[in-house]
Amino acid sequence: MRAARLIKMVLLLQSRPSMTAAELARELEVSERTVTRDAQALSEAGVPVYADRGRAGGYRLIGGYRTRLTGLARSEAEALFLSGVPGALREMGLEDVGSAARLKVSAALLPSVRDASRTAAQRFHLDAPSWFKEPKTPEWLPAVADAVWDDRRITARYWRGEGEVVRELEPYGLVLKAGVWYLCARVAGHGSYRVYRIDRFTAVEAGVERFARDEEFDLPGFWEERAEQFARSILRAEVVVRLSRDGLRALPYAVDGPSAREALQAAGPPDACGRVTVTLPVESEEVAHSQLASLGPEAEVLAPESLRARFAKDAIRLAALYGT
């Protein structure tokens, strides 16, 4: 425990010119007295930690001291190699760069943990695309990825509706969702962030001009917000369904998860037959028919009447197929 804390303290001091005892204590989640003792222990071990006295004082490393990654434990090294997504790197044209980086890290590790990349790959694998879909790398993904890394504006031509549109974009980040690549970008001159499916790009031209990136932009937070907005935007209809106990358990797997949870949270108590009535947001009556059909007799559609009639016809056809 203390060894890991000492390594973290050295790495913190490596990354900044100096840190006060209070700052180190906050980062390491210990007391300032413990920071003082740890600094003394590092100094005795040959790490050149220097303490500046006074109100503006603090701790710093002297002589350009840099530590190597020999302090990584096996579990830490394996987690480091797990952080890469080989398939995504390959699609972005970064497979060689990623391989070189892993080799350099391996070379810096202690001999006892140099097989971390192999042991991690043997135990975990990320397969991003969804089932029954053949993954296809968008033609313009490598060019877009290069522009994202270099903060260079791009001129993109893409399909929207039945025609092509041209936009000058500031590419902020890439997101891989269920096997589909998306670009989060700001429209040049407008200041608004938007999301584009890269497989709809028909041409991409990267300029030489770099844009000033907004350092406050939070890609994971932006994507989460937009994804939730999109999921809600397509739920334009509602159906009323009476569910058995088994139907209640199966509902989140048959329909959109968030809408199912929302419907279940707003549901009232069970009726005399033990069934619960819920109002479920859905994309359309057609989609609801397809999704709720998987619940079979565990779900009874009460409204709208047109959807109930469709299930009634299904029931008649099934009875004819299987007999009474």
Side-chain angles (χ1 to χ4, degrees):
M1 183 70 178
R2 190 189 185 196
R5 189 175 71 241
L6 291 174
I7 292 171
K8 185 176 180 180
M9 183 175 180
V10 173
L11 293 175
L12 284 169
L13 293 175
Q14 255 185 211
S15 64
R16 307 179 194 182
S18 68
M19 294 183 70
T20 65
E23 290 172 337
L24 284 168
R26 186 164 53 250
E27 291 281 353
L28 299 172
E29 299 181 351
V30 295
S31 67
E32 292 186 31
R33 182 172 296 180
T34 298
V35 168
T36 302
R37 287 198 295 265
D38 286 351
Q40 181 64 31
L42 287 171
S43 180
E44 292 173 356
V47 178
V49 178
Y50 181 79
D52 291 314
R53 304 298 179 184
R55 180 177 298 179
Y59 293 92
R60 59 187 175 90
L61 295 174
I62 59 175
Y65 179 84
R66 306 290 295 179
T67 184
R68 299 179 67 196
L69 292 175
T70 52
L72 282 178
R74 170 170 293 278
S75 59
E76 293 170 331
E78 290 172 343
L80 176 63
F81 285 108
L82 276 175
S83 65
V85 186
L89 289 175
R90 182 173 58 253
E91 292 183 6
M92 288 190 291
L94 299 173
E95 184 176 22
D96 291 342
V97 176
S99 177
R102 287 191 294 272
L103 285 172
K104 289 179 180 179
V105 172
S106 295
L109 293 172
L110 286 172
S112 60
V113 294
R114 281 181 185 164
D115 64 341
S117 61
R118 181 181 60 82
T119 58
Q122 286 176 336
R123 288 162 174 80
F124 300 98
H125 174 67
L126 175 61
D127 186 8
S130 57
W131 285 102
F132 313 116
K133 289 186 179 180
E134 188 67 27
K136 183 178 179 181
T137 303
E139 177 184 358
W140 298 102
L141 176 61
V144 174
D146 283 344
V148 169
W149 280 114
D150 292 341
D151 293 337
R152 283 183 289 119
R153 288 183 176 179
I154 62 173
T155 300
R157 184 185 297 273
Y158 66 97
W159 282 104
R160 189 177 71 177
E162 298 181 355
E164 284 189 323
V165 178
V166 178
R167 291 284 185 273
E168 186 178 3
L169 304 174
E170 297 175 351
Y172 267 69
L174 291 168
V175 175
L176 177 61
K177 172 71 171 179
V180 179
W181 284 96
Y182 296 88
L183 171 66
C184 301
R186 184 163 60 180
V187 181
H190 289 272
S192 59
Y193 296 98
R194 300 179 185 178
V195 177
Y196 302 87
R197 276 186 62 146
I198 296 181
D199 57 8
R200 292 179 181 167
F201 285 0
T202 58
V204 171
E205 182 180 348
V208 295
E209 181 183 359
R210 284 182 166 81
F211 63 90
R213 174 178 287 267
D214 180 3
E215 297 301 332
E216 298 298 319
F217 178 76
D218 175 20
L219 179 60
F222 171 78
W223 175 258
E224 183 178 0
E225 180 182 346
R226 285 303 175 92
E228 184 176 350
Q229 289 175 359
F230 172 75
R232 291 185 176 277
S233 70
I234 64 174
L235 302 178
R236 302 186 180 94
E238 286 186 344
V239 298
V240 181
V241 189
R242 201 160 68 110
L243 299 164
S244 68
R245 184 176 299 175
D246 288 339
L248 288 171
R249 285 195 292 265
L251 185 66
Y253 303 99
V255 303
D256 178 68
S259 64
R261 289 192 294 271
E262 183 179 313
L264 294 174
Q265 289 172 359
D271 59 19
C273 298
R275 291 187 169 240
V276 174
T277 300
V278 301
T279 300
L280 184 69
V282 295
E283 184 175 345
S284 66
E285 185 174 310
E286 186 72 29
V287 171
H289 178 257
S290 173
Q291 292 175 333
L292 295 175
S294 65
L295 299 179
E298 309 306 327
E300 177 190 1
V301 174
L302 304 179
E305 185 59 38
S306 56
L307 182 58
R308 181 178 174 87
R310 293 181 69 168
F311 276 100
K313 289 180 181 178
D314 290 346
I316 293 172
R317 293 174 63 193
L318 286 170
L321 285 173
Y322 291 101
T324 56

